[in-house]
Amino acid sequence: MLAFLQAALDGLMIGGVYAVISIGLTLVFGVMGIINFAQAEFLMLGMFVAYFAWAWLGLDPLIAAPAAFVIVGALGLAVQTLLLRRVMRAPPVAQVFLTVSLLIVLQNAALLAFGSSFRSVITPYQSSALRLGPLYLSLPYLAAFAASVASGLALWLFLQRSWFGRAMRATAQDPFAAQLVGINTQAMHRLAFAIGVGLTAFGGAVILPYLTVYPTVGEQFVVLMFTVVVLGGLGSVLGAIAGGFSVGLIQSISGLFLPVQLQNLVLFVVFIAVLSLRPEGLLGARR
Amino acid sequence: MAILRSAAKTLKPTRRHALGVLGGTMAAPYVLRSAQAAETVSIGVVLPLSGANAQFGVNSRNGIELVADQINKAGGIKALGGAKIELVVADATSTPTTAATVAQRLVTQNRVTAILGAFVSSLTIAISEVTERRDIPLLTMSFADQITGRGFKNIFQVVAKASVIGAAQFEDTVAIAQAAGTKLERVAIMYEDTAYGTSQAVGLRNGAKKTGVQIVMDEAYPLGITDVTPLINKLRAANAQAVFPVSYLNDSLQIIRVMRQQGIGIPAIGGAAGYVIPDFEKGLGEYAEGILSISPSNYDLAPDLTKAFRERYNYFMVHEAFEHAVCLEVLVQAIEKTGKTDPAALRDVLHGTRFEGGWTRGMTGGAVQFDETGLNTLSVPLMVQWRNKELVTVWPENIAKAKPIWKA
Amino acid sequence: MNGRSWRVVVAAGILVVALCLPLGLDPQGYAIRIFTLIFLFAAMAQSWNIVGGLANQMSLGHAAFFGIGAYTSTLLLIRMGISPWLGMAAGALLGGMVAALLSLPTMRLSGHYFALATLAFGEVMRVLANTWASVTGGPGGISVPFGQDSWWMLSFKSTRPHYYLTLGALISVTAVFVAIQRSAFGYRLRAVRENIAAAEVVGVDSARTKILAATISGALIAALGTLYAQLTFFFDPDTVFGIAPISIRVALIAILGGVGVAIGPIIGALVIIPLEEAANFAFSAQAAGLSALVYGLLLVTIIFVEPRGLVALAGLRKRWRSS
């Protein structure tokens, strides 16, 4: 029972992290209809931004996270304007091709620019945990979870309350109708992409304290991110959050009675099952 | 017109002239070839220079380049008239098929004399399928058991096998603990699930069987694991006295940190790779102090040689860099001995010689000697410990530079 | 000469060149290996093209069937000494069955959802192969044993026989593709692709159509897995079940060339494989990552210039599409 509670707690914490790094992916898909295979590379870039903020300025990655959001978001804006717009009307296969090529470019540009070393930050809390009775609550996980919740909330407020947010949702729902009421859908696409990759970068920054950054770190998260968003429902921000928690819990609890090596196997089987029974995911709208 | 006719008259060759020219033309290739031979010897270097293992590929290349430059500065390969070493470096990428194609290219297009590489066992094995069929020597420090287990004639491995390294990781630890007054009875092993971790785990299990120690936890985990808490939770529940993790860097740091978080103070004895690179210490700071690991070799066995690496590249000579340096040294010694770059001759010399001197001094036994399977039988894994940001050899006792500290 | 017979003449001419080419090349050399890989990957992309182009189901998990083929024939060879030809048949059978089985839960999925489901399935197979070490040899991989040259055992020291084998495979798979494209089955696939509701109304069993396409595609690429194993002699789960080296690469080749047309995968492979090699050759000795970066930038440029693939660029799309 205790082991179960601990696993549930860990799963929830890591689930929050998975959620924040995946929200960006679902936002991009919802508004632009593009599956961005290079999304995890923006995670890597966010981690690098946070790393250098720590190495050069002594900033804790959690404090540098908003900077990662802004800097990588700006890069995302450039990428969207220069590259992605071109394939918006192209068949989905072309979009896949472009984002996969972008993945290769970003990864190797990072390798060239930053070198192949594995870089790690040292923060005062990264090797500590809180005790809640017999349970352990890892501090870096807690910090990442808190940051994720905060950013998720901020995004939700943005989408619900601000004009831009509502315009983006309108574009996602029905681009033609949105244009009719005067929304510049092109600008909305740009904004969605920038915010999307920015959020993923933010997520990267908050997980840096307990991970290492190197040019190919994104690869560890690609399939995970996609599982999260599809499970939750492509295009639904709340879905990404629900998906994130689900994935975290499934991974953690399956580790109790299965070899750790198979934690992703369970995840994928659940994933395929959900897709076959409810293709739009847990919270996605039936199209 | 007249000019041409008079020019033709003056240029009309005599028979002697013609013979001279003909003889010269026939001799030219030989002249050119020996002039060529005095020029360069091409040696192929195939390493992962992109992808997840790029760092190790770069380290290895640095080691090879250091030795090549040293040899060239000292006058090149004497037996070939001072021929300089020309390294033909290529990226193996992370896909074995590409590594094999690249090796093929080096053999056919660049006509390399031999190939050094490729750090990752699966890449090395793929390359060896090419080099074996083309009869070109391949020298490596990859250590999966399969590499020397297929009866190939053209493969030469300068370090011990994975199962031997794993067994040593275990048995040496038991010995160190015993010397400190602790009898190990319950231990845990955890390993990343590529060929490296899996084959070394086999060695660990053999070591446990031999020393009669019980393994209370035996878990593989996916290489790119992003959350080690399920693993550490299991470790805590297993109640082990020591843990043997076999990891790369991303996982090694997570494991040590989460162990700290949960207050699990048992000794962790690493399986090389992620535990013996500078980034490990940089990532853990004070928590790296005292951590033990097995290693196929260590730089402090020949500090006079390895400090040249540190001076040039600003970090200590990691074991893959050193072992690749030894590969090149051995190859060059073989070329010096045969006086030619003919692969068959090199192969025979590589099999039959005890290589001493130069960089081989830093290997255990102070020399390198390959048996008929291509394995260097003199290489014995050693235990290193992090002391003050440096890796110090602490076991076996006859080569240790310091006594091991066992933090029970 | 009208357009049709002109095309036949050109194709025949290219075929003659392809057949004679190896005679001028080093049989164990680099160039012949490149061509062999081009043919093999073109054939793989062509099998993908059956679902990705004709059925418009973008699969990112074809490595699952490819790996099944490679492992089946190699395990039968190692454990029971069975000829890889028979192993290939067994692998194709198994690959086809698994593809059919996979189409059931993914039936109602389209576009991105289908792509991601197949991606997940490919990963499932890879993890299984990795953990089921007692059968597959686990992450250490398995080797095809060294043997005497033999056509029955598909074992050769030189690459030249593999060149002809993969060329033959490419021609066969392309023939299957064209046959499907022109048949009634092809019409049904097109109907399902264009408008599934309308297709069902006129009596097309869309479920059966999709499953059949998947089965054929899976069986073909599984058979190619055997050829791959016999060519490279060694592979591990990451190599044959891998997302990047197989699944995405195969899709990329077909997409680059142009999906849905027979010549697309061929053009794609003729461009991508040499491009990778050229980038590696020119740049990999310099800074780490440079060759891969150049390769990625070239890919981006190509798709940027013509998102519909090289076939569209050459204006060949219309001429090769129909009939």
Side-chain angles (χ1 to χ4, degrees), chain A residues 6 10 18 116-118 120 122 126-129 136 138 140-141 209-212 216 220-221 255 258 260-261, chain B residues 50-52 54-55 193 219-220 224 226-227 231 233-234 236 249-250 253-254 257 260-262 279 282-283 287:
Chain A
Q6 178 74 64
D10 294 329
Y18 290 158
S116 52
S117 300
F118 298 91
S120 195
I122 301 193
Q126 76 191 155
S127 296
S128 329
Y136 289 91
S138 149
Y141 275 25
Y210 69 87
L211 284 181
T212 35
T216 51
Q220 322 302 1
F221 289 96
L258 279 178
V260 176
Q261 200 182 7
Chain B
S50 63
Q55 188 186 35
D193 71 350
E219 283 281 338
T226 49
D227 171 31
L231 208 60
N233 284 340
K234 278 193 179 172
R236 200 179 55 214
L249 190 83
N250 161 57
L253 288 180
Q254 285 188 69
R257 284 191 188 136
R260 285 260 152 202
Q261 277 172 17
Q262 300 197 3
D279 289 343
K282 283 207 206 108
Y287 294 133

Side-chain angles (χ1 to χ4, degrees), chain C residues 26-112:
Chain C
D26 172 6
Q28 274 192 302
Y30 174 58
I32 204 169
R33 188 185 164 97
I34 297 288
F35 278 111
T36 307
L37 288 174
I38 290 177
F39 296 148
L40 184 63
F41 274 93
M44 287 161 69
Q46 192 71 280
S47 359
W48 182 92
N49 208 5
I50 293 175
V51 284
L54 296 178
N56 201 26
Q57 300 269 69
M58 182 169 49
S59 156
L60 293 177
H62 257 60
F65 320 120
F66 182 72
I68 286 176
Y71 270 102
T72 304
S73 68
T74 308
L75 286 172
L76 285 174
L77 176 65
I78 296 179
R79 301 286 167 90
M80 303 202 267
I82 293 181
S83 155
W85 290 107
L86 297 174
M88 191 191 296
L93 194 66
L94 202 55
M97 270 172 24
V98 171
L101 260 140
L102 181 62
S103 354
L104 293 174
T106 55
M107 186 74 59
R108 289 183 293 153
L109 301 176
S110 62
H112 308 286

